[in-house]
Amino acid sequence: MSRVLVNQMFKIYTQNMHYHPEAIEPKWRQKWVESQLYRVDNSSDKPKFYVLDMFPYPSGAGLHVGHPLGYIASDIFARYKRLKGFNVLHPMGYDAFGLPAEQYAIQTGVHPAHSTDENIKRYRQQLDQIGFSFDWSREVKTSDPEYYKWTQWIFLLLYTHYYDEKEHKALPISRLEQYFVANGNQDIQAATTQSEAFKASEWAAMNRAEQEDILMNYRLAYRKTGYVNWCEALGTVLANDEVKDGLSERGGHPVEKKAMMQWSLRITAYAERLLDDLATLEWTDALKAMQKNWIGRSEGAQIFFDLENRSEKIEIFTTRPDTIFGATFMVLAPEHALVKSITHPDFQATVQQYLDYVSSRSDIDRMSENKEVTGAFTGGYAIHPFTGKRIPVWIGEYVLGDYGTGAIMAVPSDDERDRLFAQRFGLDIIDVVDKSAYPGASVHEKVGSLQYSDFLNGMEVKEAIRYMLGKIEEQRIGKRKINYKLRDANFSRQRYWGEPFPIRYDQQGVPHPIESRDLPLTLPDLENFQPASGGKSPLARAENWVHQYDGFALETDTMPGFAGSSWYFLRYMDANNPDTFVSKEAVDYWQDVDLYVGGTEHAVGHLMYARFWHKFLYDLGLVPGIEPFKKLINQGMITAYGYYAENLRFHKDGHEVVLIGNASDVQKASVSSTEATFSGTGSPIRLAYVVDWLDGQNRLTKEKFLEYYTSKGKDYNVLGDVNKYCWVRDEQGEEYITVHVVQEKMSKSKFNVQNPDDIVDRYGADCFRMYEMFLGPIEQSKPWDTKGIDGVNRFLRKFWSLFYLGNDWSVESSTPSPEELKVLHTTIRKVTEDIERFSFNTCVSAFMMCVNELKRLECSKREILEPLVILLAPFAPFVTEELWELLGHTESVHTATYPKFDPTCLESDQVELPVCINGKKRDVMLVPAKASQEEIEGLVKASEIVKRNLEGKVLLKLIYVPGRMVNLVVKE
RNA sequence: GCCGAAGUGGUGGAAUUGGUAGACACGCUGGACUCAAAAUCCAGUGCUAGCGAUAGUGUGCGGGUUCGAGUCCCGCCUUCGGUACCA
């Protein structure tokens, strides 16, 4: 008989006596599907609870061990809440539109819809393995026309509304039109990009196209020509939060500023509410701070400066109106509208030269260089509103076109950048703030007293600001203003795989919404996904599609990734409703997300946009609450160890190239073509899983390297021809390279992706779930390591063995002892408290302690084990379900009632009391629990150890903290 | 630079409100079982000195408050995350 067969038979024979996840788990996986155990109703007598995970983008690499970390935590919480008697909504879906699928389509010709569906299938399999309690009947997929129909519908709502700053809410654009007819745009308080004023008569005189142009400047979804982040490699523009350090977040390609006509969302209209309502949320301070910074509110004044010999004015924004007497020049952003008109003919050439220089620079140039001060004089002058002096107007790169008004009054004494500019170009500096009373105060701190400032002299900065704000308004040269760093969100992508805009243009190029009864406007089938000419989306090539409406052309750009994810949490409430995006009954019942779990990488992007859309929908009366996500937990990233060769030399084409430096230097090293080149793409010199071959100093010797290479290196094909390496030699003649160990993101390109499948195959889903939780606090980032998994596996087997003594079912029904009850109720309390504060790692510890204790007590009593099975069910849903059935139950353990904590079980006659002398623990005494302070003092003083420690010393004081400890204060 | 989080044994981490530092687990050491190995079980394990009871020392560094500090305060250092000419 073969060995395998013997093992098989042994397994079958011992089926129940030993813990066999590979038998239990598939069985329950199937049964749960059959019984629709996790299906949720939209009506119930129970209180509601909504637990949501950030839905994944289904990438080709499959789910890695980092994804489920948050899903497991939220699943435990959802299951816990269900046991506690809540009706829990816990859905899952896919953020299915996105660049990678389209890039893949360009390379391979596989349609994104097809590859996305394949990836989703794989994700679903992996998710099912782990035993999540998702209600899959509510699955959403953002690329499904039945879903994006409603994304388009919400877009049209944004298009047909403007933001009224008097009523602080979005209102129909038709109301604005009525206002224009009656009053023009005089005194309208609305969020707008319209700068020119017009009267009712002027409005009446405009043709429809001109009126549409103006209305566009008020719509919440609007078109404008602006400087956008253009990414040549991806052939599309990107939103600010999709750009990191001048490179695209996806793919790391360079990004440049380019003027383009684009759709935008007027998120800035909601800046104040997005900021203020943060206070109502249970988010971490770190996350709130990120959002606050991104919104970037600053209070100050808008001031108009007259120009010499011209009718226009320069509008500036400043937070320091008190320093206005120190304003010795002005600086405009290079793209400022007035640059052309203000430039004096004599300076035309130098200004143009400077503009050319600026446009030649990419974002990355601007950021990476050590801030060289550049600028040019326009030859124009402004008039100082208080002194009447002429002050020169410059242009300079350091003034940003899209912040504030794109122009500043420069106060070189109190602004670091203005001072550098003044020094570089020899401009006047008047030191208007005397900071001598505040030694150590930095330039930008708002302290000191004013000098050389006429009527402000002697005032403290704070007082002077207040005074000046009044003065500016009184003299009608400007007014108080609040400015936000937040920019309107670029909403156009020149890509195929996204939601088409439900917009068609007439022959004059005026946009018209597509009737909502015609939605969804679906994507055409394409075979070639390359961008069309002129930086256009591949959709532009689908002629029939573009011209499907007579006399109109469809918009060919598509919406960005954050469109679909800005409202998906609402769709889950009523996922299959064909008539509306979410029914009123559903949203009134589920309200908002009670617990949202996801990564910090979405701290500003997704979370900001989703809050914005939600507030907009609230204004329209479509959702009941002002915020979508009440409580938010950020799970940490699970990283992988990366190993990089630190000072590796290698030969190429007869040359020896020596690379010395840290790992990132080596990564970036590009060797000039005359000497040698890296084969391939210049990727980092990675050594996959080399850790077992390193010596204590992170050195890899040649001998070990060859051993490593033979066994592993070829699998990963990252090293190239091993004969091309040569080695650093130490004094003993040993050849080696130094390996730099880093923690890094898991990604397909780094060969470091760890899939959960292998772990689940080997140890079972319960073990995988508990191990991921056991790794540490949920918010913390940590490298993946399977070192400790045996501990969890042992725990599960030990737990199982409480039910089986040897080969026999050992559960018996005798009455538990007080000690056994104490173990149980200690665990109930600890686990319940810890789940409530999302400390799942300590829950696992508590279960381990509990089982260790019960094992020691040889306890197999039903009254102890039954509640314990329920308590463990959220963590290990499979094994608990099996044991629950073995205990004789016919209903699922996941519909059981959570065990009740009984504090009387923890009471005992004797308590341990630590005795400290001068804060150091010297003894632990067993004392009666109800002893008075006097009795305790007597007992403590009678202790041999205390007596010995008190010899020759004076007892000054005895501190007794009831139930905690005793401290004796003693002196020589 | 600014904002935020964190620094605890060989390792992951625990200590919830200022009250026994190192729970729980991994690893390691020794032992039991075994022809042997795996698995399992038992004991030990911060560091230093000591056969030992025990003593000293110990939560990134330097100070402080307190009967008592990983926890609070002041000043630094390091790591990670965010942000970067935001007027």
Side-chain angles (χ1 to χ4, degrees):
Chain A
M1 213 187 283
S2 81
R3 208 193 171 105
V4 174
L5 200 56
V6 172
N7 281 343
Q8 286 285 324
M9 287 181 67
F10 182 71
K11 233 174 221 175
I12 292 160
Y13 172 68
T14 58
Q15 201 68 74
N16 276 347
M17 295 107 205
H18 296 284
Y19 171 53
H20 284 299
E22 72 279 13
I24 297 171
E25 295 185 359
K27 168 181 159 188
W28 288 111
R29 223 169 262 140
Q30 200 192 332
K31 285 206 172 189
W32 291 337
V33 172
E34 284 164 7
S35 65
Q36 303 202 343
L37 182 62
Y38 301 121
R39 208 167 165 138
V40 191
D41 270 341
N42 276 3
S43 60
S44 167
D45 303 337
K46 299 173 184 173
K48 72 98 189 183
F49 201 88
Y50 187 176
V51 180
L52 180 66
D53 296 289
M54 288 186 187
F55 63 169
Y57 174 79
S59 87
L63 213 59
H64 64 65
V65 292
H67 287 110
L69 185 69
Y71 303 161
I72 295 167
S74 60
D75 193 58
I76 289 170
F77 204 82
R79 287 173 181 276
Y80 162 76
K81 277 287 178 184
R82 252 179 237 128
L83 294 175
K84 278 274 198 174
F86 286 81
N87 188 31
V88 178
L89 177 57
H90 188 217
M92 182 48 83
Y94 306 97
D95 189 12
F97 274 133
L99 279 176
E102 190 165 348
Q103 292 293 95
Y104 183 73
I106 291 171
Q107 285 159 22
T108 63
V110 176
H111 196 285
H114 184 256
S115 59
T116 303
D117 282 346
E118 286 296 303
N119 292 345
I120 285 176
K121 232 183 263 167
R122 169 110 197 267
Y123 267 59
R124 178 63 193 276
Q125 267 170 5
Q126 291 181 302
L127 290 168
D128 281 346
Q129 275 229 301
I130 302 168
F132 294 118
S133 59
F134 298 129
D135 177 357
W136 284 107
S137 71
R138 294 167 183 265
E139 175 186 325
V140 305
K141 189 171 86 170
T142 55
S143 62
D144 181 346
E146 285 310 304
Y147 179 87
Y148 70 69
K149 170 181 177 177
W150 300 110
T151 309
Q152 292 172 330
W153 180 76
I154 297 171
F155 171 83
L156 287 182
L157 291 177
L158 287 161
Y159 178 77
T160 52
H161 285 79
Y162 77 103
Y163 194 82
D164 190 291
E165 290 176 343
K166 230 184 267 168
E167 295 195 26
H168 299 285
K169 65 188 282 200
L171 293 174
I173 199 94
S174 54
R175 270 188 53 169
L176 191 70
E177 255 185 283
Q178 287 164 17
Y179 186 93
F180 288 167
V181 169
N183 314 296
N185 69 349
Q186 313 289 308
D187 301 316
I188 185 82
Q189 285 183 42
T192 182
T193 25
Q194 172 77 17
S195 50
E196 277 111 70
F198 56 85
K199 299 195 185 79
S201 55
E202 289 170 299
W203 174 259
M206 290 177 207
N207 64 33
R208 190 63 206 161
E210 287 167 334
Q211 290 180 338
E212 280 293 339
D213 273 352
I214 286 175
L215 287 174
M216 191 57 100
N217 292 334
Y218 290 87
R219 297 178 189 274
L220 285 169
Y222 68 103
R223 286 219 308 167
K224 67 165 180 191
T225 302
Y227 284 82
V228 295
N229 306 303
W230 173 256
C231 179
E232 185 63 40
L234 296 174
T236 187
V237 302
L238 299 168
N240 287 334
D241 59 276
E242 292 171 319
V243 181
K244 294 252 138 64
D245 303 323
L247 299 171
S248 67
E249 198 178 25
R250 292 237 182 229
H253 305 291
V255 170
E256 57 190 306
K257 289 272 180 239
K258 197 170 167 182
M260 287 176 81
M261 176 68 108
Q262 299 279 293
W263 285 98
S264 284
L265 297 188
R266 207 178 299 281
I267 188 171
T268 50
Y270 285 85
E272 198 172 339
R273 282 164 63 185
L274 287 169
L275 185 68
D276 293 346
D277 294 344
L278 280 174
T280 67
L281 300 175
E282 292 169 58
W283 295 11
T284 60
D285 290 341
L287 197 67
K288 286 187 186 181
M290 276 189 225
Q291 292 229 334
K292 258 179 215 162
N293 290 341
W294 193 259
I295 296 168
R297 180 184 198 270
S298 54
E299 275 177 41
Q302 157 200 60
I303 306 176
F304 291 92
F305 279 65
D306 288 328
L307 287 168
E308 189 181 55
N309 306 325
R310 304 196 67 86
S311 60
E312 301 107 317
K313 293 167 194 274
I314 297 181
E315 182 192 347
I316 60 111
F317 173 76
T318 179
T319 55
R320 294 295 303 273
D322 57 311
T323 62
I324 196 163
F325 289 95
T328 51
F329 58 100
M330 305 194 79
V331 187
L332 305 182
E335 60 265 42
H336 195 279
L338 283 175
V339 171
K340 257 204 191 102
S341 59
I342 216 171
T343 300
H344 190 276
D346 296 350
F347 293 87
Q348 200 73 55
T350 48
V351 165
Q352 192 52 51
Q353 209 179 355
Y354 184 67
L355 292 177
D356 290 345
Y357 160 78
V358 170
S359 63
S360 74
R361 279 155 61 77
S362 70
D363 268 21
I364 200 124
D365 291 335
R366 285 181 118 174
M367 284 191 260
S368 58
E369 270 176 46
N370 13 339
K371 308 276 183 262
E372 198 195 334
V373 181
T374 63
F377 180 42
T378 60
Y381 288 87
I383 306 297
H384 193 288
F386 290 97
T387 64
K389 279 190 191 151
R390 301 168 80 219
I391 50 178
V393 179
W394 287 66
I395 56 173
E397 204 182 16
Y398 83 96
V399 175
L400 304 175
D402 55 358
Y403 178 75
T405 60
I408 60 156
M409 66 171 200
V411 182
S413 63
D414 286 271
D415 184 287
E416 187 66 22
R417 297 150 303 176
D418 295 346
R419 206 188 66 225
L420 291 172
F421 197 86
Q423 283 167 346
R424 168 77 175 74
F425 295 108
L427 296 157
D428 292 343
I429 300 175
I430 307 170
D431 190 7
V432 285
V433 180
D434 175 12
K435 282 202 158 110
S436 53
Y438 301 89
S442 64
V443 178
H444 61 264
E445 280 176 66
K446 292 177 182 171
V447 293
S449 77
L450 275 295
Q451 56 184 359
Y452 309 117
S453 296
D454 196 348
F455 51 84
L456 295 177
N457 284 342
M459 284 189 201
E460 274 293 307
V461 166
K462 294 235 164 82
E463 188 192 354
I465 291 175
R466 214 174 310 124
Y467 186 87
M468 270 310 291
L469 288 171
K471 194 88 179 168
I472 288 163
E473 289 186 341
E474 184 189 309
Q475 303 224 338
R476 309 189 124 266
I477 54 168
K479 57 185 175 203
R480 272 162 235 266
K481 197 173 176 188
I482 289 157
N483 228 319
Y484 296 94
K485 209 160 87 176
L486 185 73
R487 314 290 156 86
D488 281 343
N490 188 304
F491 204 62
S492 294
R493 297 293 180 274
Q494 290 68 43
R495 302 297 303 221
Y496 169 76
W497 194 229
E499 299 86 348
F501 284 87
I503 292 286
R504 52 183 184 173
Y505 299 95
D506 64 22
Q507 262 126 15
Q508 284 81 51
V510 176
H512 300 271
I514 285 174
E515 294 294 321
S516 51
R517 64 168 178 273
D518 291 339
L519 297 179
L521 173 63
T522 54
L523 282 168
D525 251 334
L526 282 191
E527 282 179 9
N528 178 2
F529 300 95
Q530 295 284 350
S533 61
K536 281 194 173 159
S537 150
L539 285 178
R541 263 194 268 101
E543 291 282 336
N544 291 339
W545 182 82
V546 173
H547 296 108
Q548 58 183 283
Y549 292 95
D550 257 356
F552 293 93
L554 287 176
E555 168 67 66
T556 57
D557 285 349
T558 53
M559 299 185 201
F562 65 82
S565 61
S566 291
W567 72 283
Y568 76 110
F569 47 92
L570 294 169
R571 188 64 183 167
Y572 284 135
M573 296 174 179
D574 197 11
N576 303 303
N577 192 329
D579 303 322
T580 174
F581 79 121
V582 56
S583 71
K584 188 158 166 44
E585 302 83 68
V587 76
D588 281 346
Y589 178 70
W590 292 111
Q591 295 273 322
D592 52 10
V593 177
D594 294 281
L595 175 67
Y596 196 21
V597 180
T600 2
E601 64 269 27
H602 302 107
V604 285
H606 160 60
L607 289 175
M608 193 75 84
Y609 297 124
R611 292 181 63 217
F612 159 44
W613 282 42
H614 200 80
K615 286 178 188 304
F616 169 70
L617 294 170
Y618 170 79
D619 287 352
L620 269 54
L622 296 169
V623 298
I626 57 170
E627 285 287 341
F629 315 120
K630 216 182 304 178
K631 162 109 191 160
L632 188 136
I633 303 252
N634 283 122
Q635 94 262 22
M637 217 177 8
I638 292 203
T639 53
Y641 284 115
Y643 309 98
Y644 290 90
E646 202 153 76
N647 45 5
L648 184 65
R649 315 166 177 201
F650 65 91
H651 293 290
K652 177 91 184 184
D653 304 330
H655 293 276
E656 180 186 290
V657 182
V658 184
L659 297 170
I660 296 170
N662 61 30
S664 60
D665 291 338
V666 173
Q667 273 182 59
K668 285 176 192 150
S670 60
V671 182
S672 90
S673 57
T674 52
E675 292 186 58
T677 49
F678 278 98
S679 55
T681 57
S683 55
I685 303 164
R686 282 185 61 85
L687 309 164
Y689 309 120
V690 77
V691 70
D692 293 340
W693 288 268
L694 298 182
D695 68 10
Q697 298 156 321
N698 276 357
R699 300 193 328 177
L700 179 65
T701 61
K702 186 174 187 178
E703 191 187 335
K704 289 281 179 187
F705 177 86
L706 290 171
E707 199 181 293
Y708 151 74
Y709 181 73
T710 331
S711 69
K712 285 271 183 188
K714 280 173 188 156
D715 299 349
Y716 299 101
N717 193 27
V718 286
L719 291 162
D721 183 354
V722 71
N723 294 317
K724 284 184 178 162
Y725 294 84
C726 75
W727 300 83
V728 181
R729 208 185 287 266
D730 66 14
E731 297 84 46
Q732 282 77 44
E734 177 90 89
E735 290 177 303
Y736 69 95
I737 54 173
T738 308
V739 175
H740 185 71
V741 182
V742 296
Q743 280 185 36
E744 57 191 8
K745 263 190 180 165
M746 285 189 186
S747 82
K748 213 176 171 182
S749 62
K750 287 179 177 144
F751 301 98
N752 61 1
V753 175
Q754 300 281 309
N755 291 115
D757 316 35
D758 307 341
I759 309 290
V760 173
D761 281 350
R762 183 139 176 234
Y763 295 94
D766 286 333
C767 185
F768 176 70
R769 289 168 63 105
M770 290 193 84
Y771 181 58
E772 286 235 346
M773 292 300 100
F774 192 55
L775 280 175
I778 194 81
E779 331 78 54
Q780 219 164 80
S781 281
K782 51 228 148 193
W784 178 249
D785 209 323
T786 50
K787 265 198 315 220
I789 201 163
D790 284 328
V792 175
N793 191 35
R794 261 173 226 152
F795 157 77
L796 285 167
R797 290 211 301 262
K798 222 175 192 177
F799 178 69
W800 182 271
S801 76
L802 288 173
F803 298 77
Y804 280 95
L805 191 64
N807 293 340
D808 302 318
W809 179 248
S810 62
V811 178
E812 35 105 7
S813 50
S814 56
T815 311
S817 70
E819 200 179 0
E820 289 163 343
L821 281 170
K822 190 177 173 183
V823 171
L824 172 68
H825 284 274
T826 307
T827 309
I828 294 176
R829 183 173 68 176
K830 175 74 179 156
V831 169
T832 309
E833 276 175 9
D834 286 0
I835 292 177
E836 291 281 355
R837 65 187 180 104
F838 307 100
S839 174
F840 301 109
N841 55 328
T842 51
C843 289
V844 179
S845 299
F847 282 121
M848 286 173 168
M849 279 192 268
C850 173
V851 168
N852 288 346
E853 283 293 297
L854 294 179
K855 202 74 198 163
R856 187 178 61 81
L857 296 169
E858 293 177 349
C859 170
S860 286
K861 292 173 187 162
R862 179 175 284 266
E863 276 183 53
I864 299 294
L865 295 183
E866 262 190 359
L868 200 55
V869 167
I870 301 172
L871 203 60
L872 184 66
F875 294 82
F878 294 101
V879 67
T880 49
E881 187 78 311
E882 177 73 13
L883 289 169
W884 191 248
E885 189 187 50
L886 289 168
L887 282 164
H889 296 276
T890 47
E891 296 287 306
S892 168
V893 69
H894 303 297
T895 58
T897 303
Y898 198 77
K900 202 174 166 343
F901 168 62
D902 180 1
T904 58
C905 294
L906 302 193
E907 285 166 9
S908 67
D909 303 342
Q910 303 253 296
V911 290
E912 279 195 348
L913 187 72
V915 180
C916 301
I917 291 164
N918 290 338
K920 276 273 163 208
K921 186 181 77 175
R922 288 296 128 128
D923 194 11
V924 182
M925 301 175 70
L926 217 53
V927 299
K930 291 181 188 118
S932 67
Q933 170 136 8
E934 289 75 34
E935 287 171 289
I936 295 284
E937 282 186 24
L939 284 165
V940 165
K941 282 174 188 161
S943 149
E944 285 305 317
I945 294 169
V946 169
K947 275 190 202 156
R948 194 176 64 231
N949 276 282
L950 283 181
E951 263 168 45
K953 292 170 189 164
V954 192
L955 177 65
L956 295 178
K957 208 171 169 185
L958 188 148
I959 292 147
Y960 172 52
V961 186
R964 281 286 191 181
M965 46 90 71
V966 166
N967 192 21
L968 301 165
V969 186
V970 159
K971 217 180 147 186
E972 291 289 332

